[in-house]
């Protein structure tokens, strides 16, 4: 077998760089749009693009599974607000992207996905590695395009970026038949760039109506979702909270939007929300929903969610208003504009504020767990405090994800990368890689479990190859903890297929990938472990052994009212 | 109650399947459908739809269709109460909305 290194290296000539195939146009258009990094994996149909990448200014990050390319691009996009880009071949390359595309769709993440496709003449003939990725992804994309004419490549890629980023962001898929990539093309000169869409300002009559409801309310609650950050309305929201003093709760995606030290922030609401947040929503007489969508994990049983509350719903997406809950005042507009101009003046809610504040103290989390075992909530709180405002958590999915949401402090929504809508195990490691490559100056920590890490553990190779400054905190309880918890309480302790007793030694696995690692066994080792993790340049993995019987509290049982929280 | 939607779509690849998929996926059944021959780059699709059950709002479906980039106009028969956020009007009256969604308070 010939070693790759012994093959003659092909030099990129000036002529090569100026070739005008469809593939070269793809690369040059990405460069022109300011893209600097793409995540991908090569294969047959997309090979013309990989050929054209030679000599490009684009950094291509070679992941070890296409799903990781999508997750890494997603994380980069959540941090920059610009579309992340991933690239894969047709057939299995494209299908492997699906979970990552769905994840971006559910969480409104701007992403452009480029897939190779079999040549146009073979499309629809069940050709080798042919799959209808356009049809397959229709339910999980904001838009999608099959490019049939190489001359339209620049125009359509630019349009894809515009669609992905403007309004409510989302993923846009571009399918690229191989013959189009190989065709010589002479696209027309670009026209004048389309002006950016103007923000839809809040209407004065609606602001007046909202002001009246606020003045009448005695128990108002601000219900904050991810749309506030997406709408560039973080500062207006924080200012509104400070001006009005209205108690506020946040969804999983809304965390980091309120100032983390705001005294009127009551925490996350919903299934694993704080008792204070859920009680406040339950008792509220006015719910001001901003950039949230009444998701079932937040509302619990819908007819018992804020049962006495009137609703002011402010959202940039008109299709979210009235979808699951009637809005007494429906404001489809720019959230920043609405929050800036909504000024109800003095609100007679002092008793209500004091009630909520007293509950925050009374129902504060207790970090004094018995025994010498590692108590994950306390560890995560310490980690978050030690990292401070430089902390970026890239979560996987499971108990650790909920503990992170409950016990960590986020300076910004982009400090908390989590698969919220889709709940996709396997997100954490590639998302951490995407985040750490984009923000090496921050303390990016992937927080994962022994179930989740195994879904994309191959990406340790990517972290090693690129020297990614990522810290991995692996909370290992030897079980699929959240499923186990539900089986314990809602399936009569019939523990079915949750035991991961035969996990590998994860520290050894990491070392085999060339990644520094260590194992943490007991509580007294925790401070040193956090220090080592945060001081390391990374990649580094801390394998932390925790008690499999530990559960996430509080918990609203599925189908129950948020008022019926279970506690430990 | 059946509603008829008149939808102007651009003549682009996948526009029709994207539209039909959205209607079905959002919990509506298409009971009849017609499409005009494309003209000047667009075509008119007329569909009769019924909610499959649950809390499904025709005006929400209308707005979900309007979000599609392949669609440039949607109108509804019987005519919807004007969804005019800018004028301060709500999408329907609260009592109507609640009557259609018995699970809501």
């Amino acid at each position: 077998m010939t070693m790759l290194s012994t093959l003659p290296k092909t030099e990129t000539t000036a002529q090569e760089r100026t070739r005008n195939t469809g593939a070269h146009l793809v690369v040059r258009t990405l460069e022109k749009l300011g893209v600097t990094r793409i995540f991908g994996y090569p294969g047959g149909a997309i090979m013309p693009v990989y050929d054209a990448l030679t000599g490009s200014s684009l950094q291509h990050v070679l992941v070890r599974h296409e799903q990781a390319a999508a997750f890494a691009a997603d994380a980069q996009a959540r941090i920059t607000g610009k579309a992340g880009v991933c690239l894969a071949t047709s057939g299995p390359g494209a299908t492997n992207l699906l979970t990552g595309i769905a994840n971006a769709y559910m969480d409104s993440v701007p992403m452009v996905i480029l897939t190779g496709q079999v040549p146009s003449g073979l499309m629809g003939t069940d050709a080798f590695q042919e799959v209808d990725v356009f049809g397959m992804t229709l339910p999980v994309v904001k838009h999608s395009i099959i490019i049939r004419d190489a001359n339209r490549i620049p125009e359509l890629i630019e349009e894809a970026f515009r669609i992905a980023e403007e309004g409510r962001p989302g993923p846009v898929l571009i399918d690229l038949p191989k013959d189009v990539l190989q065709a010589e093309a002479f696209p027309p000169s670009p026209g004048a760039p389309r002006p950016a869409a103007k923000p839809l300002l809040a209407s004065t009559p609606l602001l007046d109506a909202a002001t009246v409801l606020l003045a009448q309310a005695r128990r108002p609650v601000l219900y904050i979702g991810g749309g506030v950050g997406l709408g560039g309305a973080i500062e207006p929201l924080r200012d509104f909270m400070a001006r009005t003093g209205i108690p506020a709760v946040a969804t999983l995606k809304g965390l980091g939007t309120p100032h983390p030290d705001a005294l009127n922030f009551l925490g996350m609401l919903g299934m694993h929300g704080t008792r204070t947040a859920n009680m406040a929503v339950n008792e509220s007489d006015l719910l001001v929903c901003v950039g949230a969508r009444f998701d079932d994990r937040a509302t619990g049983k819908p007819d018992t969610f804020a049962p006495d509350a009137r609703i002011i719903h402010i959202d940039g997406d008109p299709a979210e208003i009235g979808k699951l809950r009637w809005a007494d005042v429906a404001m489809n507009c720019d959230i920043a504009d609405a929050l800036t101009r909504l000024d109800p003046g003095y609100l007679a809610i002092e008793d209500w504020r004091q009630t909520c504040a007293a509950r925050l103290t009374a129902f504060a989390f207790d970090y004094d767990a018995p025994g010498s075992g590692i108590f994950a909530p306390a560890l995560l709180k310490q980690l978050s405090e030690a990292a401070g405002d430089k902390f970026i958590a890239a979560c996987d999915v499971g108990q650790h994800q909920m503990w992170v949401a409950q016990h960590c402090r986020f300076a910004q929504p982009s400090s908390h990368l989590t698969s919220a809508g889709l709940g996709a195990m396997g997100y954490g490691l590639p998302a951490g890689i995407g985040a750490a490559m984009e923000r090496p100056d921050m303390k990016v920590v992937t927080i994962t479990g022994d179930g989740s890490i195994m879904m994309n553990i191959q990406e340790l190779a990517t972290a090693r190859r690129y020297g990614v400054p990522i810290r991995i905190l692996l909370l290992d309880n030897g079980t699929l903890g959240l499923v186990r918890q539900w089986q314990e309480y809602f399936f009569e302790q019939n523990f079915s297929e949750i035991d991961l007793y035969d996990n590998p030694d994860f520290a050894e696995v990491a070392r085999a990938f060339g990644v520094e690692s260590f194992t943490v066994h007991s509580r007294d080792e925790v401070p040193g472990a956090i220090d080592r993790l945060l001081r390391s340049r990374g990649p580094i993995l801390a394998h932390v052994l925790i008690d499999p019987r530990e559960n996430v509290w509080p918990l609203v049982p599925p189908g129950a009212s948020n008022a019926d929280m279970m506690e430990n | 109650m059946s509603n008829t939607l008149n939808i102007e779509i651009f003549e682009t690849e996948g526009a029709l399947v994207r539209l039909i998929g959205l209607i079905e996926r959002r919990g509506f059944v298409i009971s009849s459908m017609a499409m005009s021959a494309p003209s000047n780059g667009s075509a008119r699709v007329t569909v009769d739809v019924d909610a499959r059950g649950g809390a499904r709002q025709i005006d929400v479906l209308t707005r979900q269709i309007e979000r599609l980039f392949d669609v440039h106009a949607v109108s509804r028969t019987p005519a919807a109460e004007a969804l005019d956020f800018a004028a301060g009007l709500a999408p329907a009256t609260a009592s109507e909305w609640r009557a259609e969604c018995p699970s809501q308070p």
Side-chain angles (χ1 to χ4, degrees):
Chain A
M1 192 173 89
T2 309
M3 295 296 289
L4 276 178
S5 59
T6 64
L7 292 173
K9 189 173 172 66
T10 308
E11 289 195 11
T12 306
T13 64
Q15 186 186 13
E16 174 74 15
R17 283 194 296 274
T18 55
R19 281 178 60 198
N20 244 19
T21 68
H24 287 82
L25 286 177
V26 169
V27 171
R28 284 209 291 275
T29 305
L30 293 175
E31 291 172 341
K32 180 187 160 201
L33 289 168
V35 176
T36 56
R37 184 182 300 115
I38 61 177
F39 299 89
Y41 201 100
I46 198 69
M47 282 177 68
V49 174
Y50 277 84
D51 188 48
L53 273 173
T54 311
S56 159
S57 65
L58 296 172
Q59 179 191 18
H60 177 271
V61 178
L62 178 67
V63 295
R64 300 306 175 96
H65 188 290
E66 290 89 347
Q67 185 186 100
F71 283 155
D74 165 307
Q76 179 177 303
R78 290 186 201 226
I79 285 180
T80 63
K82 302 286 182 193
V85 183
C86 58
L87 179 66
T89 193
S90 64
T95 56
N96 279 346
L97 288 172
L98 272 181
T99 304
I101 299 171
N103 192 61
Y105 180 76
M106 295 291 279
D107 285 352
S108 305
V109 177
M111 197 154 91
V112 171
I113 304 105
L114 302 168
T115 49
Q117 184 54 276
V118 300
S120 304
L122 287 178
M123 287 175 72
T125 68
D126 306 318
F128 176 65
Q129 289 195 332
E130 183 196 356
V131 72
D132 175 14
V133 67
F134 180 88
M136 202 176 272
T137 53
L138 281 173
V140 292
V141 292
K142 186 174 176 186
H143 191 56
S144 44
I145 306 161
I146 302 173
I147 300 186
R148 299 286 189 175
D149 176 357
N151 290 308
R152 297 194 67 196
I153 283 175
E155 164 206 344
L156 292 175
I157 290 182
E158 286 182 30
E159 181 174 274
F161 274 78
R162 181 179 59 77
I163 292 172
E165 292 173 357
E166 83 175 11
R168 181 178 183 169
V172 178
L173 178 125
I174 300 175
D175 203 25
L176 297 159
K178 191 172 185 179
D179 56 313
V180 174
L181 291 172
Q182 290 174 315
E184 289 289 325
F186 301 96
S189 301
R194 186 191 295 233
K198 288 183 180 167
L200 183 61
L201 301 182
S203 85
T204 303
L206 285 178
L207 287 168
D208 292 344
T211 304
V212 169
L213 290 191
L214 281 162
Q216 292 171 345
R218 292 296 169 265
R219 298 182 305 281
V221 171
L222 199 54
Y223 160 34
I224 301 161
V228 178
L230 294 174
I234 296 171
E235 288 312 318
L237 183 279
R238 290 179 177 185
D239 179 62
F240 183 78
M241 280 181 66
R243 272 192 284 127
T244 62
I246 297 175
V249 302
T251 65
L252 184 61
K253 273 203 73 198
L255 292 175
T257 308
H259 193 286
D261 303 326
L263 296 176
N264 53 338
F265 178 52
L266 310 181
M268 184 170 73
L269 82 164
M271 180 170 274
H272 290 293
T274 66
R275 175 167 282 269
T276 307
N278 281 338
M279 288 176 77
V281 171
N282 193 53
E283 295 170 13
S284 66
D285 62 357
L286 177 67
L287 202 59
V288 185
C289 172
V290 193
R293 57 184 176 90
F294 295 90
D295 172 74
D296 57 283
R297 281 295 189 270
T299 63
K301 193 177 178 186
D303 59 359
T304 61
F305 180 71
D308 302 322
R310 306 185 80 173
I311 306 290
I312 298 171
H313 195 164
I314 307 172
D315 205 296
D317 182 354
E320 287 301 342
I321 293 178
K323 185 176 81 174
L324 289 164
R325 180 72 182 255
W326 161 256
D328 296 274
V329 176
M331 302 177 74
N332 168 227
C333 61
D334 179 72
I335 293 175
D337 179 61
L339 290 174
T340 303
R341 292 167 55 206
L342 185 57
D343 186 7
Y346 171 76
L347 298 174
I349 58 169
E350 195 51 39
D351 289 351
W352 174 237
R353 291 177 55 183
Q354 287 182 11
T355 298
C356 292
R359 285 177 182 160
L360 264 185
T361 307
F363 302 130
F365 286 113
D366 182 4
Y367 294 99
D368 291 329
S372 61
I374 295 168
F375 185 47
L379 181 156
L380 291 167
K381 184 168 188 288
Q382 291 167 43
L383 171 73
S384 160
E385 287 170 352
D389 286 352
K390 284 190 170 292
F391 183 50
I392 294 179
C395 285
D396 247 309
V397 169
Q399 287 181 310
H400 59 275
Q401 180 189 29
M402 293 297 103
W403 284 325
V404 167
Q406 292 176 329
H407 306 290
C408 292
R409 178 186 181 280
F410 304 110
Q412 297 286 329
S414 58
S415 307
H416 180 220
L417 309 176
T418 197
S419 174
L422 191 66
M425 291 170 70
Y427 177 73
L429 179 53
I433 289 170
M437 294 188 86
E438 183 63 29
R439 291 302 303 270
D441 55 316
M442 300 291 274
K443 302 287 186 188
V444 177
V445 186
T446 282
I447 297 154
T448 183
D450 50 310
S452 286
I453 187 90
M454 289 288 261
M455 294 227 176
N456 268 321
I457 199 164
Q458 77 285 342
E459 297 311 317
L460 287 172
T462 310
R464 172 75 176 91
R465 168 185 284 236
Y466 295 95
V468 179
I470 183 177
R471 295 90 178 165
I472 302 159
L473 182 76
L474 198 177
L475 298 172
D476 181 358
N477 58 5
T479 181
L480 296 174
L482 209 48
V483 180
R484 193 202 62 76
Q485 181 171 350
W486 279 44
Q487 289 176 348
E488 182 178 353
Y489 289 96
F490 311 128
F491 291 87
E492 299 173 333
Q493 299 189 36
N494 181 25
F495 295 117
S496 176
E497 298 296 328
I498 44 88
D499 192 350
L500 303 180
Y501 66 93
D502 51 356
N503 273 330
D505 180 330
F506 289 107
E508 287 288 351
V509 171
R511 280 193 283 277
F513 276 101
V515 170
E516 179 186 357
S517 64
F518 60 103
T519 299
V520 190
H521 303 84
S522 64
R523 193 177 300 179
D524 57 1
E525 297 175 76
V526 166
I530 290 173
D531 189 57
R532 180 172 173 186
L533 209 56
L534 294 179
R535 281 178 183 276
S536 168
R537 281 202 69 253
I540 184 170
L541 181 145
H543 177 216
V544 181
L545 304 176
I546 63 169
D547 188 335
R549 293 163 302 181
E550 199 60 62
N551 284 326
V552 184
W553 303 111
L555 165 64
V556 176
S561 160
N562 281 354
D564 299 325
M565 282 166 282
M566 295 168 63
E567 295 275 9
N568 192 5
Chain B
M1 185 181 93
S2 251
N3 284 273
T4 302
L5 299 178
N6 303 297
I7 304 153
E8 298 279 343
I9 61 172
F10 292 111
E11 191 188 0
T12 50
E13 185 169 6
L16 186 61
V17 69
R18 195 191 304 276
L19 170 66
I20 294 168
L22 182 142
I23 293 171
E24 291 270 353
R25 199 163 55 249
R26 293 296 188 175
F28 287 83
V29 178
I30 297 175
S31 52
S32 74
M33 180 175 159
M35 180 174 159
S36 70
S39 166
N40 294 324
S42 66
R44 171 178 283 256
V45 180
T46 304
V47 287
D48 292 335
V49 297
D50 295 282
R52 191 177 281 122
R56 294 292 186 268
Q57 300 292 311
I58 188 71
D59 66 277
V60 174
L61 177 68
T62 305
R63 279 176 271 148
Q64 287 165 336
I65 292 171
E66 283 172 341
R67 281 196 310 195
L68 297 178
F69 287 85
D70 299 327
V71 168
H72 62 87
V74 186
S75 63
R76 196 176 119 195
T77 315
E81 287 195 26
L83 175 63
D84 188 350
F85 293 113
L89 299 177
T93 66
S95 56
E96 275 179 8
W97 195 89
R98 286 177 178 139
E100 289 180 40
C101 300
S103 66
Q104 299 297 318

